[in-house]
């Protein structure tokens, strides 16, 4: 993004902090018909926001490069939440994946501890197709390769890739010099911008689940000013859409419940 049109780093950090303060609430009024949606996706959205806020905290402590690990985690949580909510069958697949993950974790602990116990009925009762690979989710939501390119770039800081080797070495005519900080560590903007996007996606989705009619007004100003997309469903193929369009969910039901 050219410097002439991109938002300032200070403005992006301010937005990330604003979401981190606004999203956690003790009580939300959630329509009954979207209670399951909220309960399954509030956690991932909160985690996306917290990872993003943690990125800012590490940056202030002069660990911007290492904070990129948190930027990738925030990005994955936020993008997954949007795929799950807007894709037909996404909530059921997410629920199945959660149950399978919990069962696998329990089994691993049993193997380690030497416990022998029968499969719990609650795990056996919920079976179904889990989530697709994250790469497939990005393909579904991304018509311009931005999501995939961003994720690939952020992943360089997570795995022991060529970047981990080359970033700490400088080859000169006199020999090899060692770096104390990885090359390019001063370039904060790409990871910071991805965190701001993750915060926007998290906040917009929570507000949309609660009330799709008022959500746009809550995020429009920041979305335009900071060039942050509030939703990722525009590129979803029609055959994969849960809703014909984002606004097919209209007025909240008369009966609401409290989600705590």
């Amino acid at each position: 993004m050219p410097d002439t049109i991109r938002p300032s780093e200070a403005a992006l950090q301010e937005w990330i902090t604003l979401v981190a303060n606004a999203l956690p609430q003790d009580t939300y009024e959630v329509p009954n018909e979207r209670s399951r949606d909220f309960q399954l996706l509030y956690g991932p959205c909160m985690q996306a926001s917290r990872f993003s806020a943690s990125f800012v905290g590490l940056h202030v402590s002069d660990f911007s490069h290492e904070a990129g690990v948190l930027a990738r985690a925030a990005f994955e949580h936020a993008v997954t939440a949007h795929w799950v909510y807007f894709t037909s069958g996404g909530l059921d697949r997410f629920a199945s994946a959660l149950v399978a993950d919990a069962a696998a974790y329990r089994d691993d602990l049993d193997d380690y501890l030497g416990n022998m116990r029968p499969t719990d009925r609650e795990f056996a009762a919920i079976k179904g197709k889990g989530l697709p690979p994250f790469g497939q989710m990005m393909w579904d939501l991304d018509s311009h390769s931005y999501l995939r390119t961003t994720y690939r770039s952020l992943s360089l800081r997570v795995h022991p890739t060529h970047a981990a080797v080359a970033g700490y070495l400088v080859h000169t005519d006199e020999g090899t010099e060692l770096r104390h900080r990885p090359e390019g560590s001063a370039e904060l903007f790409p990871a910071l911008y991805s965190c701001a996007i993750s915060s926007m996606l998290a906040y917009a989705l929570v507000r949309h689940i609660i009330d799709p009619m008022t959500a746009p007004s809550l995020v429009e100003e920041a979305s335009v000013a900071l060039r942050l997309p509030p939703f990722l469903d525009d590129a979803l193929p029609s055959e994969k859409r849960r809703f014909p369009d984002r606004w097919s969910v209209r007025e909240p039901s008369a009966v609401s419940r409290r989600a705590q």
Side-chain angles (χ1 to χ4, degrees), residues 1 17 21 38 68 73 80 89 94 97 117 151 156 180 205:
M1 184 182 298
T17 301
N21 291 330
F38 182 89
T80 297
F94 188 42
R117 62 180 180 180
Y151 188 71
L156 292 176
H180 297 170
L205 184 58

Side-chain angles (χ1 to χ4, degrees), residues 9 11 24 57 71 86 90 95 99 103 126 139 145 155 160 179-180 222 224 237 244 253:
E9 293 178 0
F86 288 109
V99 171
I126 304 179
W139 271 104
S145 301
S155 294
R179 291 182 181 271
H180 297 170
V224 172
S253 63

Side-chain angles (χ1 to χ4, degrees), residues 63-228:
F63 282 92
S64 300
H65 182 79
E66 289 71 22
V69 174
L70 296 172
R72 193 188 84 146
F75 195 72
E76 185 170 354
H77 278 72
V79 172
T80 297
H82 275 245
W83 187 94
V84 166
Y85 183 76
F86 288 109
T87 300
S88 177
L91 265 294
D92 290 336
R93 295 184 67 172
F94 188 42
S96 295
L98 296 179
V99 171
D101 179 64
Y105 178 66
R106 179 212 60 190
D107 289 344
D108 287 343
L109 285 179
D110 284 348
D111 289 342
Y112 175 71
L113 297 173
N115 294 336
M116 298 294 293
R117 62 180 180 180
T119 302
D120 292 341
R121 290 183 180 180
E122 61 181 304
F123 290 118
I126 304 179
K127 293 183 178 179
K129 192 175 183 180
L131 291 176
F134 186 60
Q136 180 60 57
M137 296 186 212
M138 289 189 290
W139 271 104
D140 288 343
L141 297 172
D142 188 6
S143 59
H144 301 291
S145 301
Y146 175 79
L147 298 181
R148 286 164 280 159
T149 301
T150 298
Y151 188 71
R152 181 63 182 272
S153 176
L154 293 173
S155 294
L156 292 176
R157 307 185 187 197
V158 177
H159 303 296
T161 64
H162 69 277
V165 176
Y168 289 90
L169 304 175
V170 181
H171 297 291
T172 68
D173 293 338
E174 288 74 29
T176 301
E177 296 180 2
L178 304 182
R179 291 182 181 271
H180 297 170
R181 295 168 58 106
E183 184 179 15
S185 61
E187 180 53 46
L188 168 70
F189 186 84
L192 176 63
Y193 184 61
S194 74
C195 282
I197 290 176
S198 298
S199 293
M200 172 62 76
L201 294 175
Y203 184 69
L205 184 58
V206 168
R207 301 310 311 189
H208 179 82
I209 293 173
I210 294 170
D211 185 357
M213 299 303 295
T214 61
S217 63
L218 297 176
V219 299
E220 182 178 11
E221 182 177 352
S223 175
V224 172
L226 302 178
R227 305 178 65 84
L228 304 173

